[in-house]
Amino acid sequence: MSKKGISKGLVMLGSLRKAGVTTYMKQGRVVTRVASSNERRSNTLPQFIQRQKMRHTIALWRTLKYCKTMFTERQTAYQNFASLANRLPVVFVPDIGLMSGASLLMPGIPVSDGKLPAIREQLGEADGMPALLTDLSGAGWDCQSRLLLYTAEQNIEFEMPRVRFSVRDVSWDEMTFVDGRYVLKDNVFADDMKGWALVLVKGERCSPQTIVTRCTLYEQYTTEEALEKAADSYGGLTDAPLFSTREF
């Protein structure tokens, strides 16, 4: 004859966090307890910085993901992007209405990651015109290659900064060969609210590229004042800043 044992351990059945109610099994009986805590959520400076980085990474990805992206070095495109975006300067954005979804245009925003050699790119002039300068030589581009031009544009939407991305193919005819290197000339490259990246693609492989831009709007969100304002909007820090944000 089998004998049903009585559980002597704890089996969690459910939890209603907002109500502060926890239900669990103890020695065969269902027990319900009401628990509440007035303990403040930990928000140290390092924690706050990492949360702000993650917030900005997510905000950037929400618009970039609608472009044709090539991130091939991690299990998912988002994981690949996030690991690279975590290296960007931290921007402090207050928790005020739509501002939680704000994104800032800055140099270094990743748009691709792959095994082809990276193209060195910078903004400058060629033949007296604004241009995107590259180190791409004639030998670096063949008939099986494609070039994708990613454009990032800083917009202000309902008083909130947001970066919008677009991408298009670039034909060889658009490029100019100057001093043994390809450049892309256009007056648009003087726009200080836009940024660009040329990505070389060969089949399923691509070059790892990041945005180059003259935009400096993001800098006002990297100051001590921006840190204090953002931290206050989240309830303040649980420890005092010990060093300048310039060290990050």
Side-chain angles (χ1 to χ4, degrees):
M1 180 176 177
S2 63
K3 183 176 180 181
K4 296 182 179 180
I6 298 176
S7 172
K8 295 183 180 181
L10 300 181
V11 179
M12 190 71 69
L13 298 180
S15 176
L16 299 176
R17 292 179 180 271
K18 290 185 178 181
V21 176
T22 301
T23 303
Y24 58 91
M25 183 77 74
K26 181 178 182 181
Q27 297 181 344
R29 296 185 298 113
V30 176
V31 178
T32 300
R33 286 189 174 180
V34 177
S36 60
S37 175
N38 294 322
E39 187 175 330
R40 182 182 175 186
R41 181 192 185 197
S42 177
N43 194 29
T44 64
L45 179 59
Q47 288 172 333
F48 184 64
I49 287 172
Q50 193 55 44
R51 288 165 185 160
Q52 287 287 288
K53 282 188 175 185
M54 182 56 65
R55 185 213 60 77
H56 193 231
T57 294
I58 292 171
L60 288 171
W61 181 250
R62 281 176 177 168
T63 54
L64 179 60
K65 68 180 180 180
Y66 292 109
C67 293
K68 175 182 174 56
T69 59
M70 297 188 70
F71 289 96
T72 64
E73 302 307 293
R74 290 291 184 101
Q75 186 173 1
T76 68
Y78 172 71
Q79 289 175 348
N80 201 166
F81 171 80
S83 67
L84 298 171
N86 192 56
R87 305 170 189 173
L88 293 172
V90 58
V91 287
F92 300 103
V93 177
D95 184 25
I96 302 173
L98 294 174
M99 284 296 287
S100 60
S103 54
L104 283 304
L105 177 56
M106 61 180 65
I109 296 175
V111 296
S112 65
D113 194 20
K115 298 188 180 302
L116 294 181
I119 303 171
R120 293 181 60 187
E121 303 171 353
Q122 66 183 64
L123 295 169
E125 286 190 357
D127 300 328
M129 287 188 63
L132 179 62
L133 311 176
T134 82
D135 69 345
L136 190 62
S137 66
W141 198 355
D142 55 48
C143 61
Q144 296 180 334
S145 303
R146 297 170 59 205
L147 273 181
L148 297 178
L149 178 65
Y150 285 82
T151 300
E153 183 173 2
Q154 182 73 78
N155 295 290
I156 305 298
E157 303 173 4
F158 303 103
E159 300 183 359
M160 176 185 69
R162 175 168 286 175
V163 182
R164 297 291 184 181
F165 296 90
S166 61
V167 61
R168 69 174 180 87
D169 279 275
V170 173
S171 70
W172 290 109
D173 294 338
E174 294 179 71
M175 304 293 288
T176 303
F177 210 50
V178 178
D179 296 329
R181 297 291 184 266
Y182 282 104
V183 303
L184 191 58
K185 298 187 297 183
D186 196 303
N187 287 324
V188 72
F189 293 119
D191 192 332
D192 62 5
M193 292 295 278
K194 290 184 178 180
W196 300 268
L198 273 174
V199 178
L200 183 65
V201 179
K202 294 185 178 182
E204 297 299 317
R205 298 178 300 158
C206 69
S207 59
Q209 302 296 155
T210 61
I211 291 290
V212 292
T213 181
R214 294 186 175 93
C215 187
T216 59
L217 178 67
Y218 76 96
E219 293 177 354
Q220 64 184 270
Y221 293 90
T222 63
T223 64
E224 294 284 354
E225 182 181 357
L227 164 60
E228 293 175 5
K229 183 177 179 180
D232 287 345
S233 74
Y234 282 91
L237 299 175
T238 51
D239 64 348
L242 300 179
F243 33 72
S244 170
T245 56
R246 289 190 296 271
E247 297 183 19
F248 293 90

